[in-house]
Amino acid sequence: MGLWFLTVACSSLWVGLGLGGAPCKYPPHLWCSSREIAQACKAEKQCAKVTSAPQKADPVSISLYYESLCPACRSFLVLQLFPTWLMLGDIMDITLVPYGNAKERKGATKWEFECQHGPDECLGNVMEACLIHLFEDMYFPLIFCMESSANVTQNLPTCMKLYRPDISLANLTACVNGDLGNKLMHANAERTRALNPPHKYVPWIVINGSHTEALQSRSQAALFKMVCDLYKGEPPVACLDKKSPFPHSQQYSCLNA
């Protein structure tokens, strides 16, 4: 009795709205089941409102230009960028460019690099460039693991066992020591030199294609809140709490000499 009454009531409501004209031979609960039925029953507009999902906005784009042993870069990546990505990854687009304040010159057979914090930083940079290239779906946790450890370069085997035990370290080693790693670092050097404005320090943070001192300061202070504020779509649940879940980071940098 109740179901019959509800069906009749719904039918009366739709007809009262000017829907379900003479050509319509379908009950109201089928009017939005296909485009043809919606057209026959003159219910296209109403069905569009019922069935259309809210449009997703573009993700907030964050590009980090950094070097593997810079304390300020490590602090931002470990304390701000990675935790924010864990909670808001669905509305973020992350790009990591490990190179920073390094210098390159053309050698006899390959590019040669001089890094701000010495040869071990050059090794860390190429390791992370190879991780990004080889493990597109899983590189960020690996880089976080390296950057949060006491020794960035020596901790890679442990990080691989934690996050990618199914992958042999040999592929990564071949990249690091071979032509591929050298080409990846040269590409990162070119991307870093192409920055506009040119970078003066690292971490150098580019938000939605732009770098300003205001965006840099805001990113280093409270990246999570900034991403929530910049996202134009329906905010995820994590953004509904007005307080940032992470403490503000110290705002310091490694200057480009």
Side-chain angles (χ1 to χ4, degrees):
M1 177 68 178
L3 179 60
W4 175 84
F5 177 80
L6 181 60
T7 302
V8 172
C10 289
S11 300
S12 300
L13 176 61
W14 284 77
V15 172
L17 292 172
L19 307 174
C24 180
K25 301 176 182 179
Y26 305 93
H29 69 276
L30 293 179
W31 288 355
C32 295
S33 61
S34 73
R35 179 179 298 179
E36 291 75 17
I37 294 177
Q39 289 175 343
C41 296
K42 301 180 180 178
E44 296 114 305
K45 291 184 180 180
Q46 285 69 23
C47 288
K49 293 178 181 178
V50 172
T51 61
S52 62
Q55 293 294 316
K56 274 196 170 186
D58 291 335
V60 179
S61 171
I62 301 177
S63 297
L64 174 64
Y65 293 78
Y66 73 106
E67 53 197 27
S68 62
L69 297 190
C70 169
C73 298
R74 297 177 68 183
S75 175
F76 176 73
L77 190 150
V78 171
L79 300 179
Q80 291 282 343
L81 185 58
F82 185 75
T84 299
W85 175 78
L86 283 179
M87 297 186 69
L88 302 177
D90 288 344
I91 64 169
M92 297 173 68
D93 183 13
I94 300 292
T95 301
L96 301 184
V97 185
Y99 182 80
N101 298 327
K103 309 297 181 186
E104 74 166 357
R105 67 182 182 89
K106 184 68 173 175
T109 59
K110 62 180 182 179
W111 292 96
E112 298 175 356
F113 302 95
E114 180 182 348
C115 295
Q116 188 171 29
H117 298 90
D120 206 40
E121 179 167 79
C122 286
L123 176 59
N125 288 347
V126 71
M127 281 180 168
E128 296 183 7
C130 284
L131 286 172
I132 293 167
H133 179 76
L134 296 174
F135 306 122
E136 294 182 0
D137 61 333
M138 197 58 184
Y139 73 84
F140 203 7
L142 287 164
I143 290 177
F144 164 78
C145 181
M146 290 174 62
E147 293 292 340
S148 60
S149 65
N151 189 303
V152 172
T153 56
Q154 291 184 14
N155 203 48
L156 178 58
T158 301
C159 294
M160 292 286 289
K161 289 179 182 178
L162 284 173
Y163 290 102
R164 289 305 298 261
D166 57 316
I167 300 296
S168 170
L169 195 59
N171 289 343
L172 183 65
T173 302
C175 175
V176 170
N177 296 328
D179 290 340
L180 177 57
N182 193 255
K183 290 177 180 177
L184 292 172
M185 288 311 304
H186 174 58
N188 283 353
E190 291 186 319
R191 293 172 70 181
T192 303
R193 284 195 295 270
L195 284 167
N196 186 19
H199 87 285
K200 300 175 182 178
Y201 51 79
V202 287
W204 188 263
I205 305 164
V206 178
I207 307 296
N208 290 334
S210 299
H211 173 90
T212 66
E213 290 302 313
L215 286 171
Q216 176 83 23
S217 177
R218 193 177 175 194
S219 299
Q220 287 189 268
L223 181 69
F224 180 92
K225 186 176 186 306
M226 188 192 75
V227 172
C228 288
D229 290 344
L230 291 179
Y231 185 60
K232 302 300 184 183
E234 184 176 348
V237 174
C239 287
L240 299 182
D241 188 350
K242 299 302 182 182
K243 296 181 180 179
S244 173
F246 312 120
H248 286 200
S249 297
Q250 291 183 330
Q251 298 184 45
Y252 58 101
S253 59
C254 294
L255 296 176
N256 185 23

